[in-house]
Amino acid sequence: MQKPPQAVDFALKETSPNIGAGAVPGDKLSSTYDLVEQMQYLYVRVVKAKDLPGKDVTGSCDPYVEVKLGNYKGITKHFEKKSNPEWNQAFAFSKERIQASVLEVYVKDKDVVADDLIGRALFDLNEIPKRIPPDSPLAPQWYRLEDRKGNKAKGELMLAVWMGTQADEAFPDSWHSDAASVGPDAVSNIRSKVYLSPKLWYVRVNVIEAQDLVPTDKSRFPEVFVKAVLGNQALRTRVSQSKTINPMWNEDLMFVAAEPFEEPLVLSVEDRVGLNKDETLGMCMIPLHIVQRRLDHKPVNSRWLNLEKHIIVDGEKKEIKFASRIHLRICLEGGYHVLDESTHYSSDLRPTAKQLWRPSIGILELGILSAHGLMPMKTTKDGRGTTDAYCVAKYGQKWVRTRTIVDNFMPRWNEQYTWEVFDTCTVITVGVFDNDHIHGGAGGSKDSRIGKVRIRLSTLEADRVYTHSYPLLVLHPSGVKKTGEIQLALRFTCSSLINMLHMYSHPLLPKMHYIHPLSVIQLDVLRHQAMQIVSMRLSRAEPPLRKEVVEYMLDVDSHMWSMRRSKANFFRIMGVLSGLIAVGKWFDQICNWRNPLTTILIHILFIILVLYPELILPTVFLYLFLIGIWNFRWRPRHPPHMDTRLSHADAAHPDELDEEFDTFPTSRPSDIVQMRYDRIRSIGGRVQTVIGDLATQGERFQSLLSWRDPRATTLFVTFCLIAALVLYVTPFQVIALLMGLYVLRHPRFRHKLPSTPLNFFRRLPARSDSML
């Protein structure tokens, strides 16, 4: 089913940025950082000072440095009562905003009333050297301080001044002139940063049995189960079928843990003594760092652990030593890949254990250039709309965050990042967010999502630079909105073509997923736990990658019910089946002789294939080859992007969107919930009918030989005997030829009533008449 193209405003646009990729070979500027536009900066690194004179009454000084260029002014932290301070702070001034010809560096003494000038150093911008990586960093020098009149003052200042680009090592940690309004406490929240996801492990706990339990009430049969807790994850076994003091389970419990292991695994054996009332018979704690690590399916050694029990005596907790034990088999599974993303767009498929990794097959380079047309995401105190945008890119275990461009609807980042690629059937995700933690955002404030882009690496040609402007689309309760566009440059470089092509023969996931598969329910629960662990760990970094950002990038809520998404998936299935439907319609036209010449040609082809059956498979594969070659002319020239038509986002009903954005459990009024419940019931009724019809057809096939209808089975068995005898004595080619000619017969020899076999099949009994 061919869908109409989406609106031009939501489409991908090819761009031609002024980047180094494709420049003259050997040009130093294009050899590094070649997927972004060059941005020139004036760098000032203030290292330290010495022999500063005291300006206070006490004879001490509280020095700090002020770096001034035109209207821009950067300030270091100040030290109290220190004449030889060390700052080691860098400042970056954007060259395109420079309106002065002199750089002024002041050393001042912080005072309550007015800060005193200790001395200054002046630099002519025309005399400042230029540095291009990979040149070594410019060595800082000592400069004698001067007073305002140009006379020598007491004290010296060590600093380095140079012109460079955003490829400079000092760039990420520098104070930036375009963020001059950001207070010193919030500077860390606007810097670029690279993060690594924690190393995740599956923890398998095989609870085998327990021995010599001591229940409080010995007059009853104990109903014992084992409860296991790891952090905020809690699982329990079923109640043991052997209701004795030596219960058995032999049941697996699966958890997710992250290195470094911070919390132990706590196991407790509990007795269900009443409704919602459990009694702890003993417990033990197992630190995960001592647990055996398993790389394959070979069973690990089991172990017996002593159970401890605590009681309160005179307000004090005392431990009772007794002989109860629990038999376990516990291991860290290194052969699985811990899924922390949706399987449809995973960025990493490697197993946890590094020993099992295959060599990389290439390099992915991403240049985050700029955005334009961004919408105002918040309002300042004076009522003006503003956006403080930054980007986050995630591929594999590596997350990158660009610096925040303050108060700009057309931010230019021009930052380039690199990832190793181990599998091309993976997806890189780039998200754009508004930083709400610059100007003292409230504790509960969240960074707003502006939009995101997903790019599957297998759709990229090797060694080609893709430069496109991607629309940033966000779904709101009021509908889909375009919040701007982001310009990216992308290049996948293949290091080994043979290894990359050989990768297509390997299973998508590590082999443990197929040797010892986990159930779908288990994988969903474990994925949710893994997402929570990753978001919690990254939110504790500095600057934090906040929980709402990580959850949006990982699509935490992709499993929630959505009427819009259900419709989109239905039409995706119809799109897949549309080819078969088109072939069916074409064959129906052949059978009905709509075009006699085509039908005659099909008759001739059919007769040739029947007489020479060895040509059937070569003909099929040759036909597929020709279709592939023909479609090569119309192959996609750009990466895929978010499609509003495919997602049914541009035609969704407001109530469907309101339902999609509803919380879980619902927070809507009872009448709306009742209406939606009735709608789900009506949809469920249709699905139920379709499933019932499918079951009926299957049961009719079963009843052919089940003698449920003795006359129908007698007829079918007799037909099978006659057919067997005829086929024994008649060549198969004759049978195939007669059947083909019968199917392709002229409409003059057809009638509109259903065929005899179909009439017979529809009369067969099903079990639907036994349904209540």
Side-chain angles (χ1 to χ4, degrees):
M1 186 180 295
Q2 188 69 32
K3 293 186 70 64
Q6 59 179 351
V8 176
D9 200 33
F10 293 160
L12 192 71
K13 301 183 183 74
E14 190 159 7
T15 59
S16 301
N18 183 25
I19 61 178
V24 179
D27 182 6
K28 198 172 186 182
L29 284 172
S30 66
S31 61
T32 57
Y33 244 59
D34 62 343
L35 290 185
V36 292
E37 296 175 341
Q38 294 280 331
M39 297 178 72
Q40 300 292 327
Y41 285 89
L42 169 64
Y43 288 98
V44 182
R45 180 175 290 281
V46 180
V47 184
K48 57 185 176 180
K50 67 179 181 179
D51 302 331
L52 298 181
K55 292 288 184 178
D56 296 344
V57 179
T58 59
S60 63
C61 69
D62 306 328
Y64 70 92
V65 176
E66 178 182 293
V67 183
K68 188 176 180 185
L69 184 63
N71 295 327
Y72 295 104
K73 183 169 64 176
I75 299 173
T76 68
K77 60 188 176 185
H78 82 278
F79 292 96
E80 293 189 5
K81 299 180 180 179
K82 199 167 185 179
S83 58
N84 298 306
E86 290 191 19
W87 294 281
N88 200 27
Q89 282 184 247
F91 299 84
F93 297 88
S94 177
K95 186 179 179 181
E96 62 184 27
R97 296 189 180 184
I98 293 177
Q99 297 177 342
S101 59
V102 177
L103 171 70
E104 304 167 79
V105 181
Y106 296 96
V107 181
K108 294 187 176 182
D109 175 36
K110 193 159 188 69
D111 209 341
V112 178
V113 181
D115 298 345
D116 300 317
L117 176 68
I118 296 175
R120 69 176 184 178
L122 304 179
F123 299 86
D124 187 340
L125 296 191
N126 296 321
E127 303 296 327
I128 291 174
K130 190 170 187 177
R131 183 207 167 215
I132 304 171
D135 290 353
S136 298
L138 200 68
Q141 300 180 32
W142 286 105
Y143 293 88
R144 173 73 69 176
L145 297 178
E146 303 175 348
D147 59 17
R148 291 192 186 277
K149 296 179 181 179
N151 300 321
K152 286 186 178 180
K154 190 177 180 183
E156 292 181 79
L157 179 65
M158 178 184 275
L159 50 80
V161 183
W162 72 95
M163 295 295 296
T165 67
Q166 75 272 33
D168 204 291
E169 295 90 343
F171 181 79
D173 296 323
S174 296
W175 173 95
H176 288 272
S177 58
D178 54 7
S181 61
V182 179
D185 296 336
V187 166
S188 64
N189 285 328
I190 66 170
R191 287 181 175 154
S192 57
K193 198 77 173 177
V194 175
Y195 306 84
L196 287 177
S197 292
K199 189 175 184 180
L200 299 175
W201 293 81
Y202 282 146
V203 183
R204 186 187 295 271
V205 183
N206 178 226
V207 184
I208 303 171
E209 60 181 327
Q211 278 187 358
D212 303 327
L213 299 179
V214 186
T216 305
D217 185 1
K218 296 182 174 56
S219 62
R220 52 180 285 278
F221 294 111
E223 298 182 21
V224 184
F225 63 91
V226 176
K227 182 179 177 183
V229 178
L230 180 61
N232 61 351
Q233 307 170 66
L235 295 174
R236 59 171 58 188
T237 67
R238 66 184 186 279
V239 174
S240 174
Q241 298 298 314
S242 54
K243 298 186 177 181
T244 65
I245 60 172
N246 299 313
M248 297 188 68
W249 296 277
N250 197 23
E251 190 171 337
D252 277 357
L253 304 176
M254 295 288 289
F255 298 90
V256 180
E259 289 186 359
F261 302 123
E262 298 175 344
E263 293 165 322
L265 176 69
V266 180
L267 295 173
S268 60
V269 181
E270 304 195 6
D271 181 15
R272 182 164 293 163
V273 295
L275 188 64
N276 298 325
K277 186 178 179 183
D278 303 323
E279 177 192 0
T280 302
L281 302 180
M283 62 189 304
C284 63
M285 297 176 65
I286 306 167
L288 291 184
H289 65 270
I290 65 169
V291 171
Q292 182 178 346
R293 302 184 178 199
R294 183 170 79 159
L295 304 183
D296 51 26
H297 61 282
K298 295 177 183 175
V300 298
N301 297 325
S302 62
R303 49 198 290 206
W304 287 94
L305 297 174
N306 292 326
L307 295 172
E308 301 170 352
K309 190 173 183 180
H310 300 277
I311 61 170
I312 306 297
V313 178
D314 298 331
E316 292 185 5
K317 195 175 186 182
K318 292 195 175 182
E319 184 179 316
I320 301 176
K321 294 283 187 182
F322 62 116
S324 296
R325 300 189 304 166
I326 187 168
H327 193 195
L328 299 171
R329 191 177 280 114
I330 178 171
C331 66
L332 294 168
E333 296 279 13
Y336 289 89
H337 168 67
V338 180
L339 294 165
D340 60 346
E341 305 167 282
S342 174
T343 48
H344 297 298
Y345 19 83
S346 290
S347 64
D348 189 12
L349 301 167
R350 293 170 294 170
T352 299
K354 202 167 185 178
Q355 304 94 301
L356 302 177
W357 290 4
R358 295 191 179 95
S360 67
I361 59 172
I363 296 292
L364 174 66
E365 297 167 277
L366 172 69
I368 303 175
L369 282 79
S370 61
H372 59 272
L374 297 184
M375 304 285 287
M377 302 304 293
K378 54 181 179 283
T379 308
T380 59
K381 292 180 181 178
D382 57 3
R384 182 175 58 86
T386 182
T387 296
D388 306 316
Y390 67 93
C391 290
V392 175
K394 196 258 186 215
Y395 183 76
Q397 294 181 331
K398 180 178 172 182
W399 301 66
V400 298
R401 168 180 171 155
T402 67
R403 70 191 189 284
T404 300
I405 306 296
V406 179
D407 192 15
N408 197 329
F409 297 127
M410 300 180 68
R412 294 175 62 219
W413 294 284
N414 284 305
E415 297 184 27
Q416 183 170 335
Y417 299 96
T418 304
W419 287 267
E420 272 192 300
V421 176
F422 294 86
D423 195 328
T424 55
C425 299
T426 47
V427 174
I428 182 171
T429 305
V430 183
V432 186
F433 300 88
D434 173 59
N435 196 331
D436 201 28
H437 295 80
I438 295 179
H439 307 291
S445 61
K446 295 184 177 181
D447 289 356
S448 305
R449 55 183 73 168
I450 298 177
K452 69 180 170 188
V453 175
R454 293 193 207 99
I455 302 169
R456 183 169 291 276
L457 268 61
S458 59
T459 63
L460 304 179
E461 297 176 19
D463 301 316
R464 175 185 164 188
V465 177
Y466 291 84
T467 53
H468 290 88
S469 183
Y470 296 81
L472 295 171
L473 307 174
V474 176
L475 198 62
H476 291 280
S478 56
V480 66
K481 288 185 179 177
K482 180 180 175 182
T483 53
E485 293 185 12
I486 182 171
Q487 190 177 11
L488 302 176
L490 202 68
R491 176 172 57 207
F492 168 59
T493 306
C494 173
S495 58
S496 172
L497 180 62
I498 294 175
N499 285 347
M500 182 173 69
L501 297 178
H502 184 53
M503 183 67 66
Y504 281 85
S505 67
H506 292 159
L508 199 61
L509 292 168
K511 64 179 183 180
M512 282 294 288
H513 285 268
Y514 307 99
I515 297 172
H516 277 183
L518 303 173
S519 69
V520 175
I521 296 175
Q522 265 185 315
L523 285 173
D524 280 342
V525 172
L526 293 171
R527 182 188 292 112
H528 177 72
Q529 295 295 341
M531 287 176 173
Q532 296 301 316
I533 290 172
V534 170
S535 64
M536 182 184 69
R537 288 287 179 93
L538 292 178
S539 66
R540 285 160 47 185
E542 188 59 43
L545 200 58
R546 303 192 180 276
K547 188 171 184 282
E548 63 272 14
V549 173
V550 176
E551 289 183 348
Y552 181 58
M553 295 289 287
L554 295 179
D555 281 288
V556 169
D557 55 353
S558 62
H559 65 285
M560 299 296 287
W561 161 255
S562 164
M563 179 70 77
R564 172 192 62 82
R565 204 176 283 128
S566 300
K567 285 181 180 178
N569 287 335
F570 172 77
F571 283 105
R572 283 174 62 199
I573 293 174
M574 294 305 296
V576 170
L577 297 177
S578 61
L580 295 175
I581 295 170
V583 170
K585 290 180 178 177
W586 172 80
F587 187 71
D588 183 63
Q589 291 176 354
I590 296 296
C591 293
N592 287 294
W593 293 67
R594 296 282 174 83
N595 188 333
L597 179 60
T598 306
T599 304
I600 291 169
L601 291 174
I602 293 296
H603 274 78
I604 295 170
L605 177 63
F606 173 70
I607 293 169
I608 292 172
L609 293 177
V610 168
L611 296 177
Y612 303 98
E614 64 274 9
L615 296 179
I616 293 176
L617 285 178
T619 304
V620 169
F621 285 112
L622 180 63
Y623 184 62
L624 294 176
F625 168 78
L626 293 174
I627 291 176
I629 295 299
W630 180 261
N631 288 341
F632 181 77
R633 298 170 58 193
W634 292 281
R635 68 190 185 279
R637 302 283 182 168
H638 53 75
H641 64 290
M642 303 294 185
D643 192 330
T644 54
R645 289 283 164 85
L646 180 70
S647 310
H648 273 251
D650 54 353
H653 191 275
D655 182 67
E656 294 173 1
L657 293 174
D658 183 67
E659 180 182 24
E660 187 170 338
F661 283 90
D662 193 6
T663 56
F664 192 87
T666 182
S667 57
R668 297 296 186 262
S670 57
D671 55 336
I672 294 179
V673 174
Q674 181 180 350
M675 180 269 291
R676 290 174 181 167
Y677 173 63
D678 290 340
R679 183 172 62 196
I680 293 291
R681 286 177 66 193
S682 67
I683 295 172
R686 294 176 205 166
V687 173
Q688 171 185 290
T689 303
V690 171
I691 293 173
D693 289 342
L694 292 174
T696 297
Q697 308 309 321
E699 288 167 353
R700 283 174 176 166
F701 270 110
Q702 290 178 336
S703 64
L704 283 170
L705 295 170
S706 67
W707 296 93
R708 188 175 177 85
D709 182 341
R711 285 168 292 278
T713 304
T714 302
L715 287 171
F716 182 70
V717 168
T718 305
F719 168 78
C720 289
L721 177 62
I722 296 170
L725 295 173
V726 170
L727 291 172
Y728 268 122
V729 298
T730 309
F732 177 75
Q733 289 171 300
V734 174
I735 300 295
L737 187 63
L738 293 174
M739 289 181 63
L741 293 175
Y742 176 76
V743 171
L744 295 170
R745 68 192 185 278
H746 195 276
R748 186 178 302 170
F749 305 106
R750 296 175 184 271
H751 50 83
K752 294 184 178 181
L753 296 177
S755 63
T756 301
L758 188 59
N759 291 333
F760 177 78
F761 181 76
R762 285 176 176 171
R763 290 177 177 275
L764 292 171
R767 304 187 66 184
S768 53
D769 49 354
S770 301
M771 292 276 292
L772 285 174

